[in-house]
């Protein structure tokens, strides 16, 4: 388990993280979400003792990173897939890491196979695509078969298929009981990957809850219904205390957006009123819009309170 | 610590540009002695000391290139971000720097030794085939003293490269400082002292005091004899290295 307590880090006058508290549980993927520049990478660097915070603590089952012997056997971290010497082969990159932490070189073959890079392992990294480097980075984090996996924006540079691969891999690893912390600036990506969310904006914690709860709280689900008798349906919805607004777009059939009722209720209402239904659909706000709204609120609140 | 040294050795030998620098460092003196061996107009008058002198001064060029190799070995880790990967795997940062110094010491010692005798043998053989009579007589004669001085000096300069590398982080800047140190920087420092009335400061510049005239008599132009000069320079370099390690430990990687 990872525990972050009161972590603060400034670079000169820039406050990168401000009194951050959260914890990461084993056995699940925790998404670390925030817009660009919100302090995710800085937090992760502080976790593994690369950056020195002005105050606060990060512990892994009670231990500081620097107290852990051969740390890559306990904590696998991928900060940036481009942190490889372009002139070195993928295999040699993994080998020097393995050797430094007393790992068997056979592990290098295993992790290469795990991420599907066996055939290109002898090639110099400068010939790799960003997606291949992300796979190499994941291989490096898996070298020590760690209990904790920390990844900074691992989906960057991956195509949709690569993102699905990454998601399946992370969920598989979490399923084995590991704690997985993965950062992203895209809620939609996190919605697919993570069960828990730690959301930050401008270095401060905004939310720490399950992904489902966060999405439910910050998005509204509406029911879109199209019918030749749309007026009947709208009236029935309003009588039941729901809210309905007509759709102004041009379509073959008139439609309305209903809030405050489930799709089943709307369908049954239509049936009860003998209205023909051409379309009945749940529509959810784009997750990005919701996320932007949340982080914007937070930023406005803070700039308002500080002046 | 053994694991970290093994890891640094693997790193050092798996980058092609390191080998390129090493080969250039070795080729240059060999080319010089080949040219001298073939084109010297009066081989029968070339003395044994002159061959040693050529080997030593071309070796001084090699050791500067070798020290650039150790600068790059370290600073390229900052350039490519691999230092973060390394320090995440080995949080005790000083161990990484010390491991690099161990590799630097061993490689420099082996390369400079091979180079010295290979070069000496090549020059002597070429000249002897053209009528010269150059032989090595006895272990502790002149050539052996020059050999020991050159290798010791090269090792200290390799540490200097690492110390400046960890302090400066930026490859071109650190290389320029290493290369200009003996040529310009120490002269400027000595000049500054001289202008303030300390005329003898020149004799105390660390690099000069250790290098002296590497195949000449000891302690003539400098305040210390050669072995003391080496110790003095080594102490200076170790202080630079310790400052580097302390700064590196305190800053964000
Ligand atoms: N090494 C650094 N020096 C100065 N400022 C930095 C440094 N690293 C990050 N910052 C600043 O800290 C803030 C957070 O950056 P970062 O942690 O990279 O955010 P994120 O990963 O969420 O995009 C930004 O304002 C960034 O400019
Ligand atoms: Mg980032």
């Amino acid at each position: 388990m990872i525990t972050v307590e009161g972590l603060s880090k400034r670079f000169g006058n820039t406050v990168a993280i401000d009194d951050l508290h959260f914890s990461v549980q084993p056995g699940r993927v925790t998404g670390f979400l925030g817009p660009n520049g919100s302090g995710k990478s800085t937090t992760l660097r502080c976790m593994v003792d690369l950056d020195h915070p002005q105050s606060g603590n990060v512990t892994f089952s009670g231990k500081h990173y620097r107290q852990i012997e051969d740390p890559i056997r306990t904590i696998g971290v991928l900060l940036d897939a481009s942190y490889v010497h372009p002139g070195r082969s993928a295999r040699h990159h993994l080998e020097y890491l393995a050797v430094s932490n007393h790992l068997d070189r056979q592990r290098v073959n295993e992790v290469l196979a795990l991420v599907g890079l066996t055939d290109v392992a002898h090639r110099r990294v400068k010939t790799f695509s960003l997606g291949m480097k992300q796979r190499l980075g994941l291989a490096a984090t898996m070298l020590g078969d760690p209990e904790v996996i920390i990844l900074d924006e691992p989906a960057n540079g991956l195509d949709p298929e690569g993102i699905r691969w990454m998601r399946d891999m992370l969920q598989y690893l979490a399923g084995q009981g590991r704690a997985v912390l993965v950062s992203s600036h895209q809620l939609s990506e996190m919605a697919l990957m993570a069960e828990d969310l730690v959301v930050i904006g401008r270095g401060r914690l905004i939310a720490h809850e399950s992904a489902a709860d966060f999405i439910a709280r910050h998005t509204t689900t509406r029911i879109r219904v199209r019918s030749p008798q749309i007026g009947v349906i709208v009236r029935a919805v309003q009588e039941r205390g729901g809210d309905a607004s007509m759709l102004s777009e041009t379509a073959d059939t008139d439609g309305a957006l209903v809030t405050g009722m489930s799709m089943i209720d709307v369908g049954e209402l239509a049936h009860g009123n003998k209205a023909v239904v051409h379309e009945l659909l749940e529509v959810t706000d784009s997750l990005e819009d919701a996320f932007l709204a949340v982080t914007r609120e937070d930023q406005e609140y803070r700039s308002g309170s500080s002046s | 610590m053994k694991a970290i040294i093994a890891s640094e050795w693997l790193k050092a030998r798996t980058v092609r540009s390191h080998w390129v620098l090493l080969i250039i460092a070795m080729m240059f003196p060999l080319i010089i002695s080949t040219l001298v061996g073939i084109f010297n107009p009066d081989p029968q008058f070339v003395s044994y000391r002159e061959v040693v002198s050529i080997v030593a001064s071309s070796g001084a060029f090699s050791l500067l290139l070798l020290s650039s190799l150790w600068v790059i070995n370290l600073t390229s880790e900052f350039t490519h971000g691999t230092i973060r990967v390394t320090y995440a795997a080995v949080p005790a940062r000083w161990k990484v720097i010390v491991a690099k110094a161990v590799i630097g010491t061993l490689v420099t010692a082996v390369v400079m030794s091979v180079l010295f005798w290979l070069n000496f043998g090549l020059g002597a053989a070429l000249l002897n085939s053209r009528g010269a009579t150059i032989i090595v007589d006895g272990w502790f004669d002149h050539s052996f003293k020059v050999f020991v001085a050159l290798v010791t000096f090269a090792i200290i300069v390799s540490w200097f490269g690492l110390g400046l590398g960890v302090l400066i982080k930026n490859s071109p800047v650190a290389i320029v400082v290493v290369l200009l140190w003996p040529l310009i920087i120490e002269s400027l420092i000595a000049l500054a002292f001289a202008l303030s009335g300390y005329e003898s400061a020149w004799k105390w510049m660390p690099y000069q005091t250790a290098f002296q005239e590497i195949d000449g008599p000891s302690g003539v132009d400098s305040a210390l004899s050669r072995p003391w000069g080496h110790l003095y320079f080594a102490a200076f370099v170790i202080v630079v290295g310790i400052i580097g390690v302390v700064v590196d430990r305190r800053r964000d990687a």
Side-chain angles (χ1 to χ4, degrees):
Chain A
M1 189 178 87
I2 314 176
T3 312
V4 176
E5 291 168 310
L7 199 68
S8 296
K9 173 73 182 166
R10 289 187 314 272
F11 296 104
N13 288 327
T14 313
V15 178
I17 22 180
D18 187 4
D19 195 27
L20 208 52
H21 291 261
F22 62 88
S23 62
V24 178
Q25 304 299 327
R28 50 211 299 158
V29 178
T30 300
F32 189 29
L33 186 64
N36 285 326
S38 58
K40 302 179 297 293
S41 301
T42 305
T43 305
L44 301 185
R45 286 198 306 271
C46 287
M47 285 183 158
V48 295
D49 230 26
L50 290 173
D51 281 13
H52 306 306
Q54 269 79 24
S55 60
N57 256 319
V58 181
T59 51
F60 299 86
S61 302
K63 274 188 166 180
H64 281 283
Y65 190 81
R66 61 180 168 279
Q67 296 170 324
I68 300 170
E69 194 142 337
D70 288 340
I72 68 176
R73 290 164 169 266
T74 312
I75 296 150
V77 55
L78 171 59
L79 293 173
D80 189 324
S82 69
Y83 292 165
V84 276
H85 194 296
R88 197 177 274 129
S89 72
R91 172 180 299 282
H92 285 144
H93 177 74
L94 296 172
E95 273 183 1
Y96 85 71
L97 280 173
V99 168
S100 75
N101 274 235
H102 302 95
L103 291 163
D104 188 8
R105 284 195 200 197
Q106 182 54 31
R107 262 310 277 172
V108 170
N109 294 326
E110 290 169 21
V111 295
L112 281 168
L114 181 74
V115 301
L117 287 179
T118 306
D119 292 341
V120 293
H122 63 281
R123 268 170 48 184
R124 286 191 283 168
V125 175
K126 72 168 110 183
T127 66
F128 279 21
S129 68
L130 185 51
M132 289 161 85
K133 285 187 201 166
Q134 294 283 23
R135 284 168 184 259
L136 175 60
L138 187 63
T141 65
M142 291 310 299
L143 263 178
D145 196 12
E147 297 154 29
V148 177
I149 296 167
I150 297 173
L151 305 164
D152 198 1
E153 310 238 7
N156 271 6
L158 294 184
D159 52 17
E161 197 190 337
I163 292 181
R164 191 168 331 123
W165 174 86
M166 182 67 74
R167 176 191 69 196
D168 292 345
M169 180 68 88
L170 296 183
Q171 286 178 343
Y172 165 74
L173 295 170
Q176 297 176 323
R178 303 173 209 262
V180 179
L181 178 65
V182 47
S183 82
S184 170
H185 61 277
Q186 284 185 304
L187 178 59
S188 49
E189 209 172 87
M190 286 293 90
L192 293 174
M193 285 191 191
E195 283 169 80
D196 285 340
L197 283 184
V198 173
V199 186
I200 63 169
R202 292 231 226 145
R204 287 178 54 162
L205 189 68
I206 296 177
H208 186 359
E209 60 189 329
S210 80
D213 287 350
F214 181 81
I215 291 165
R217 266 200 316 122
H218 295 290
T219 58
T220 340
T221 301
R222 298 186 180 81
I223 311 303
R224 191 166 78 207
V225 53
R226 289 189 193 281
S227 162
Q229 292 98 28
I230 192 70
V232 176
I233 297 178
V234 166
R235 218 170 305 121
V237 163
Q238 286 165 341
E239 277 165 14
R240 280 283 196 89
D243 203 19
S245 57
M246 296 297 287
L247 284 170
S248 54
E249 66 196 85
T250 52
D252 291 345
T253 326
D254 292 336
L257 273 180
V258 177
T259 44
M261 279 182 122
S262 74
M263 187 162 71
I264 295 172
D265 291 344
V266 177
E268 286 179 353
L269 264 186
H271 178 72
N273 288 281
K274 297 194 169 61
V276 173
V277 171
H278 286 178
E279 183 188 85
L280 191 59
L281 186 72
E282 250 180 17
V283 272
T284 304
D285 291 348
S286 118
L287 292 173
E288 290 331 308
D289 290 348
F291 177 46
L292 285 177
V294 174
T295 49
R296 200 180 311 120
E297 271 164 33
D298 178 73
Q299 290 177 1
E300 278 162 9
Y301 159 72
R302 286 171 60 198
S303 51
S305 66
S306 64
S307 58
Chain B
M1 194 69 215
K2 256 169 73 181
I4 302 167
I5 293 172
S7 170
E8 285 303 325
W9 169 237
L10 209 153
K11 269 180 176 172
R13 67 181 172 77
T14 51
V15 171
R16 192 181 293 178
S17 55
H18 293 170
W19 288 102
V20 172
L21 256 173
L22 186 67
I23 288 167
I24 296 173
M26 295 196 71
M27 288 307 290
F28 177 81
L30 294 176
I31 289 170
I32 297 286
S33 14
T34 306
L35 292 179
V36 171
I38 294 174
F39 294 110
N40 188 290
D42 312 299
Q44 61 275 31
F45 297 124
V46 176
S47 77
Y48 168 77
R49 279 179 175 262
E50 281 168 319
V51 179
V52 173
S53 177
I54 290 163
V55 168
S57 43
S58 58
F61 171 85
S62 304
L63 70 86
L64 278 181
L65 271 184
L66 275 183
S67 72
S68 315
L69 170 63
W70 300 111
V71 173
I72 288 174
N73 177 291
L74 185 56
T75 52
S76 69
E77 295 226 33
F78 288 98
T79 313
H80 299 301
T82 52
I83 198 73
R84 286 180 166 162
V85 176
T86 297
Y87 285 167
V90 183
R93 300 177 184 179
W94 66 271
K95 289 188 179 172
V96 174
I97 308 299
V98 169
K100 283 185 190 292
V102 170
I103 304 292
T105 304
L106 295 176
V107 172
T108 304
V110 170
V111 168
M112 290 305 292
S113 304
V114 169
L115 195 57
F116 186 91
W117 295 115
L118 188 65
N119 209 7
F120 184 85
L122 180 71
L126 285 170
L127 290 166
N128 283 347
S129 75
R130 295 177 55 221
T133 47
I134 294 159
I135 45 158
V136 186
D137 45 0
W139 264 136
F140 287 100
D141 84 335
H142 179 65
S143 65
F144 194 74
K145 276 188 203 150
V146 174
F147 162 71
V148 170
L150 188 68
V151 173
T152 310
F153 184 71
I155 289 170
I156 305 171
V157 177
S158 78
W159 299 345
F160 192 39
L162 276 171
L164 287 175
V166 70
L167 211 50
I168 297 174
K169 295 206 289 190
N170 174 296
S171 306
V173 175
I175 289 175
V176 165
V177 173
V178 166
L179 296 182
L180 293 191
W181 187 272
L183 300 173
I184 295 175
I185 298 178
E186 282 199 349
S187 314
L188 288 177
I189 296 172
L191 183 66
F193 273 108
L195 292 177
S196 333
Y198 299 97
E199 307 280 340
S200 60
W202 174 246
K203 293 188 162 195
W204 286 100
M205 289 298 116
Y207 190 103
Q208 284 308 328
T209 304
F211 186 67
Q212 307 194 2
E213 196 184 327
I214 202 140
D215 61 315
S218 150
V220 174
D221 279 332
S222 90
L224 299 168
S225 68
R226 187 166 286 121
W228 286 108
H230 282 154
L231 270 179
Y232 175 62
F233 184 38
F236 168 77
V237 164
I238 287 170
V239 168
V240 171
I242 289 174
I243 294 173
V245 166
V246 169
V247 167
D248 186 51
R249 174 201 168 109
R250 296 172 60 109
R251 74 187 162 205
D252 296 332

